[in-house]
PDB file of all heavy atoms in Angstrom:
ATOM      1  N   TYR A  49     -16.371  47.705 -26.992  1.00  0.00           N
ATOM      2  CA  TYR A  49     -16.611  48.292 -28.292  1.00  0.00           C
ATOM      3  C   TYR A  49     -17.258  49.615 -28.050  1.00  0.00           C
ATOM      4  O   TYR A  49     -17.338  50.619 -29.018  1.00  0.00           O
ATOM      5  CB  TYR A  49     -17.600  47.484 -29.130  1.00  0.00           C
ATOM      6  CG  TYR A  49     -16.991  46.192 -29.448  1.00  0.00           C
ATOM      7  CD1 TYR A  49     -17.488  44.979 -28.808  1.00  0.00           C
ATOM      8  CD2 TYR A  49     -16.065  45.982 -30.378  1.00  0.00           C
ATOM      9  CE1 TYR A  49     -16.968  43.773 -28.962  1.00  0.00           C
ATOM     10  CE2 TYR A  49     -15.489  44.783 -30.564  1.00  0.00           C
ATOM     11  CZ  TYR A  49     -15.988  43.615 -29.931  1.00  0.00           C
ATOM     12  OH  TYR A  49     -15.449  42.358 -30.150  1.00  0.00           O
ATOM     13  N   ASP A  50     -17.657  50.025 -26.854  1.00  0.00           N
ATOM     14  CA  ASP A  50     -18.213  51.392 -26.580  1.00  0.00           C
ATOM     15  C   ASP A  50     -17.140  52.411 -26.413  1.00  0.00           C
ATOM     16  O   ASP A  50     -17.490  53.616 -26.161  1.00  0.00           O
ATOM     17  CB  ASP A  50     -19.113  51.338 -25.326  1.00  0.00           C
ATOM     18  CG  ASP A  50     -20.333  50.368 -25.529  1.00  0.00           C
ATOM     19  OD1 ASP A  50     -20.950  50.409 -26.664  1.00  0.00           O
ATOM     20  OD2 ASP A  50     -20.790  49.757 -24.543  1.00  0.00           O
ATOM     21  N   ALA A  51     -15.922  52.013 -26.409  1.00  0.00           N
ATOM     22  CA  ALA A  51     -14.901  52.952 -26.089  1.00  0.00           C
ATOM     23  C   ALA A  51     -13.959  53.000 -27.380  1.00  0.00           C
ATOM     24  O   ALA A  51     -13.695  52.240 -28.087  1.00  0.00           O
ATOM     25  CB  ALA A  51     -14.163  52.697 -24.889  1.00  0.00           C
ATOM     26  N   ILE A  52     -13.178  54.166 -27.416  1.00  0.00           N
ATOM     27  CA  ILE A  52     -12.104  54.329 -28.425  1.00  0.00           C
ATOM     28  C   ILE A  52     -10.776  54.664 -27.813  1.00  0.00           C
ATOM     29  O   ILE A  52     -10.813  55.039 -26.587  1.00  0.00           O
ATOM     30  CB  ILE A  52     -12.526  55.444 -29.431  1.00  0.00           C
ATOM     31  CG1 ILE A  52     -12.660  56.715 -28.782  1.00  0.00           C
ATOM     32  CG2 ILE A  52     -13.764  55.079 -30.249  1.00  0.00           C
ATOM     33  CD1 ILE A  52     -12.854  57.879 -29.746  1.00  0.00           C
ATOM     34  N   GLY A  53      -9.707  54.553 -28.528  1.00  0.00           N
ATOM     35  CA  GLY A  53      -8.329  54.879 -27.910  1.00  0.00           C
ATOM     36  C   GLY A  53      -8.086  53.990 -26.727  1.00  0.00           C
ATOM     37  O   GLY A  53      -7.567  54.536 -25.709  1.00  0.00           O
ATOM     38  N   THR A  54      -8.516  52.724 -26.686  1.00  0.00           N
ATOM     39  CA  THR A  54      -8.420  51.856 -25.550  1.00  0.00           C
ATOM     40  C   THR A  54      -7.066  51.625 -25.004  1.00  0.00           C
ATOM     41  O   THR A  54      -6.320  51.066 -25.757  1.00  0.00           O
ATOM     42  CB  THR A  54      -9.112  50.577 -25.812  1.00  0.00           C
ATOM     43  OG1 THR A  54     -10.395  50.891 -26.372  1.00  0.00           O
ATOM     44  CG2 THR A  54      -9.314  49.721 -24.616  1.00  0.00           C
ATOM     45  N   PRO A  55      -6.734  51.920 -23.712  1.00  0.00           N
ATOM     46  CA  PRO A  55      -5.484  51.462 -23.119  1.00  0.00           C
ATOM     47  C   PRO A  55      -5.613  49.964 -22.892  1.00  0.00           C
ATOM     48  O   PRO A  55      -6.501  49.422 -22.559  1.00  0.00           O
ATOM     49  CB  PRO A  55      -5.514  52.178 -21.761  1.00  0.00           C
ATOM     50  CG  PRO A  55      -6.439  53.271 -21.799  1.00  0.00           C
ATOM     51  CD  PRO A  55      -7.546  52.703 -22.837  1.00  0.00           C
ATOM     52  N   TYR A  56      -4.443  49.352 -23.011  1.00  0.00           N
ATOM     53  CA  TYR A  56      -4.372  48.014 -22.714  1.00  0.00           C
ATOM     54  C   TYR A  56      -3.060  47.529 -22.230  1.00  0.00           C
ATOM     55  O   TYR A  56      -1.924  48.170 -22.302  1.00  0.00           O
ATOM     56  CB  TYR A  56      -4.548  47.098 -24.014  1.00  0.00           C
ATOM     57  CG  TYR A  56      -3.684  47.260 -25.089  1.00  0.00           C
ATOM     58  CD1 TYR A  56      -2.482  46.512 -25.234  1.00  0.00           C
ATOM     59  CD2 TYR A  56      -3.966  48.069 -26.187  1.00  0.00           C
ATOM     60  CE1 TYR A  56      -1.640  46.551 -26.217  1.00  0.00           C
ATOM     61  CE2 TYR A  56      -3.215  48.185 -27.389  1.00  0.00           C
ATOM     62  CZ  TYR A  56      -1.984  47.407 -27.261  1.00  0.00           C
ATOM     63  OH  TYR A  56      -1.153  47.501 -28.443  1.00  0.00           O
ATOM     64  N   ALA A  57      -3.051  46.344 -21.466  1.00  0.00           N
ATOM     65  CA  ALA A  57      -1.868  45.639 -21.091  1.00  0.00           C
ATOM     66  C   ALA A  57      -1.668  44.486 -22.008  1.00  0.00           C
ATOM     67  O   ALA A  57      -2.548  43.604 -22.033  1.00  0.00           O
ATOM     68  CB  ALA A  57      -1.869  45.254 -19.630  1.00  0.00           C
ATOM     69  N   GLY A  58      -0.529  44.427 -22.691  1.00  0.00           N
ATOM     70  CA  GLY A  58      -0.487  43.398 -23.629  1.00  0.00           C
ATOM     71  C   GLY A  58       0.835  42.554 -23.517  1.00  0.00           C
ATOM     72  O   GLY A  58       1.763  42.917 -22.893  1.00  0.00           O
ATOM     73  N   SER A  59       0.775  41.292 -24.071  1.00  0.00           N
ATOM     74  CA  SER A  59       1.928  40.487 -24.227  1.00  0.00           C
ATOM     75  C   SER A  59       2.746  40.763 -25.331  1.00  0.00           C
ATOM     76  O   SER A  59       2.321  41.037 -26.420  1.00  0.00           O
ATOM     77  CB  SER A  59       1.396  38.986 -24.200  1.00  0.00           C
ATOM     78  OG  SER A  59       2.457  38.201 -24.644  1.00  0.00           O
ATOM     79  N   SER A  60       4.078  40.731 -25.288  1.00  0.00           N
ATOM     80  CA  SER A  60       4.923  41.016 -26.363  1.00  0.00           C
ATOM     81  C   SER A  60       6.312  40.317 -26.077  1.00  0.00           C
ATOM     82  O   SER A  60       6.816  40.199 -25.031  1.00  0.00           O
ATOM     83  CB  SER A  60       5.281  42.458 -26.545  1.00  0.00           C
ATOM     84  OG  SER A  60       6.053  42.729 -27.508  1.00  0.00           O
ATOM     85  N   THR A  61       6.945  39.706 -27.155  1.00  0.00           N
ATOM     86  CA  THR A  61       8.224  39.200 -27.125  1.00  0.00           C
ATOM     87  C   THR A  61       9.143  40.082 -27.868  1.00  0.00           C
ATOM     88  O   THR A  61      10.408  39.536 -28.153  1.00  0.00           O
ATOM     89  CB  THR A  61       8.218  37.732 -27.684  1.00  0.00           C
ATOM     90  OG1 THR A  61       7.778  37.770 -29.100  1.00  0.00           O
ATOM     91  CG2 THR A  61       7.307  36.853 -26.938  1.00  0.00           C
TER      92      THR A  61
END
Side-chain angles (χ1 to χ4, degrees):
Y49 302 100
D50 292 326
I52 60 172
T54 307
Y56 63 81
S59 160
S60 176
T61 59

